[in-house]
Amino acid sequence: VSSGTLVDQVRAAGQVGNELDVQPLRDPQVEDLRNSATQAEERGDYAAAQRALSQALQLTPDDPELLQWQAELALATREWSQAETWATRSYEKGPKLGGLCRRNWMTIHYAAEARGNPAAAIQAQQRVAACTVPPPTRM
């Protein structure tokens, strides 16, 4: 399985579901860096994308979305333990449910699998389902 495919699978896990999704307001400077990172990633320049995200994280060090993005770039560059570290930090700082949570655990799953730790991979895979919380029923 190619690293690019792993990232695609992680991001797809974040899209599934009909659930409540709360997006914080974003700093314009951070938004510019996010755009730079997106463009770099689209070009396949993961190093430039990681640099832009590192700068953004200096401005907002606890942004769980940025932390997870770093984790996904680490997956793409086969930096398995770094991917796991970033995803764990993102999970700790994040909402612990919804699409971001699923992306956190899928990243940890693939990283553990790649590092030859099947027990951790299975445990992470099992945590993915717990991330989905349906939105409140509207009458």
Side-chain angles (χ1 to χ4, degrees), residues 2-8 11 36-54 69-70 72-79:
S2 82
S3 318
T5 306
L6 292 180
V7 173
D8 293 340
R11 290 182 179 163
S36 295
T38 298
Q39 291 167 3
E41 186 179 354
E42 287 170 355
R43 294 192 306 271
D45 187 349
Y46 298 122
Q50 286 172 320
R51 282 192 302 276
L53 292 177
S54 291
W69 195 350
Q70 280 284 45
E72 291 165 4
L73 291 173
L75 268 187
T77 56
R78 300 178 176 277
E79 299 169 49

Side-chain angles (χ1 to χ4, degrees), residues 5-19 68 72 75 97-110 124-125 127-129 131-133:
T5 306
L6 292 180
V7 173
D8 293 340
Q9 290 173 358
V10 166
R11 290 182 179 163
Q15 300 303 315
V16 179
N18 170 25
E19 61 206 337
Q68 177 58 28
E72 291 165 4
L75 268 187
L97 50 95
L100 181 61
C101 176
R102 286 191 299 274
R103 287 168 53 206
N104 296 151
W105 287 111
M106 288 301 292
T107 299
I108 294 166
H109 164 76
Y110 289 128
Q125 179 75 48
R127 303 272 314 251
V128 172
C131 296
T132 301
V133 176

Side-chain angles (χ1 to χ4, degrees), residues 65-103:
E65 188 69 40
L66 294 175
L67 293 166
Q68 177 58 28
W69 195 350
Q70 280 284 45
E72 291 165 4
L73 291 173
L75 268 187
T77 56
R78 300 178 176 277
E79 299 169 49
W80 311 122
S81 58
Q82 194 61 44
E84 210 167 329
T85 299
W86 285 115
T88 301
R89 268 190 65 199
S90 172
Y91 178 77
E92 289 166 357
K93 303 292 182 185
K96 297 178 182 54
L97 50 95
L100 181 61
C101 176
R102 286 191 299 274
R103 287 168 53 206

Side-chain angles (χ1 to χ4, degrees), residues 20-51:
L20 191 59
D21 186 29
V22 179
Q23 293 293 325
L25 293 173
R26 291 196 175 134
D27 175 309
Q29 194 175 355
V30 171
E31 202 55 33
D32 288 345
L33 291 164
R34 291 173 70 90
N35 291 335
S36 295
T38 298
Q39 291 167 3
E41 186 179 354
E42 287 170 355
R43 294 192 306 271
D45 187 349
Y46 298 122
Q50 286 172 320
R51 282 192 302 276

